[in-house]
């Protein structure tokens, strides 16, 4: 599935026209993020902030994908359908297999109310919106989330929503102002995100997270 150089984790295309090279430090950051997140969920003392590893993954993904889009669009090589098809090939097969494996266990082992919640999570996961479902129902930090086998797909929902929105925004910005337009759009979006984050921090910590 990763035959396209743009799809290799931690790597960008090594073709001269792309202007990108392999960044080993990004793989190092990925390793730190994975280990810290695992130790946090294993409740190892001293890793209470290990969940920040997920934020690190978001930052890495945003950095790599945004760079690929801007470079490819600047060279006239970017294809929106091709971009979405690569994301689908990377994400959907593994996600579908995971859901199919979990489904019979949920059917056999869950009580009716929990099974209903599982069905909601299954639909939300398929729609890349399990994070939205958590906001509307249990939140992230409640005890009941430990009984949701698809709970972890909230982060996948965030990433897929990024894939749906940011390429369109960058393409529009680059049509109007080239790479400078893309830079301005990213700066404005980053500033708006930080302001919104600070606004929610005072009012709804779960949604903010």
């Amino acid at each position: 599935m990763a035959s396209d150089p743009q799809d290799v984790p931690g790597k960008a295309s090594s073709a001269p026209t792309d202007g990108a090279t392999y960044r080993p430090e990004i793989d190092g950051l990925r390793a730190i993020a994975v280990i810290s997140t695992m130790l946090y969920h294993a409740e190892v003392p001293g890793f209470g902030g290990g969940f920040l590893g997920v934020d690190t993954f978001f930052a890495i993904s945003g950095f790599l994908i945004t760079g690929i889009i801007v470079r490819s669009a600047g060279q006239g090589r970017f294809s929106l359908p091709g971009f979405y098809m690569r994301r689908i090939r990377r994400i959907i097969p593994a996600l579908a297999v995971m859901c199919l494996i979990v489904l019979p266990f949920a059917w056999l082992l869950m009580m009716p109310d929990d099974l209903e919640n599982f069905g909601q999570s299954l639909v939300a996961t398929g729609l890349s919106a399990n994070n939205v479902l958590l906001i509307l129902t249990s939140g992230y930090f409640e005890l009941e989330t430990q009984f949701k086998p698809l709970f972890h797909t909230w982060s996948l929902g965030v990433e897929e929503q990024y894939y749906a929105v940011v390429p369109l925004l960058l393409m529009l910005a680059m049509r109007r102002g080239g790479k400078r337009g893309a830079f301005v759009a990213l700066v404005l979006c980053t500033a708006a995100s930080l302001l919104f984050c600070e606004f929610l921090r005072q009012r709804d910590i779960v949604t903010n997270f």
Side-chain angles (χ1 to χ4, degrees), residues 8-92:
V8 179
K11 297 184 180 182
S13 173
S14 58
T17 56
D18 188 70
T21 56
Y22 171 56
R23 301 287 297 274
E25 67 274 18
I26 290 179
D27 277 346
L29 284 174
R30 274 205 176 103
I32 294 173
V34 169
I35 293 172
S36 63
T37 303
M38 291 176 63
L39 293 177
Y40 166 75
H41 283 292
E43 300 183 354
V44 175
F47 288 89
F51 60 87
L52 292 175
V54 178
D55 292 344
T56 303
F57 267 106
F58 286 154
I60 291 172
S61 180
F63 172 77
L64 292 175
I65 295 299
T66 302
I68 288 172
I69 294 172
V70 172
R71 283 191 301 270
S72 299
Q75 298 160 7
R77 298 188 297 108
F78 182 73
S79 166
L80 197 60
F83 172 83
Y84 287 135
M85 186 55 63
R86 286 193 295 272
R87 305 279 74 76
I88 289 171
R89 289 202 307 265
R90 282 182 60 81
I91 294 172
I92 297 304

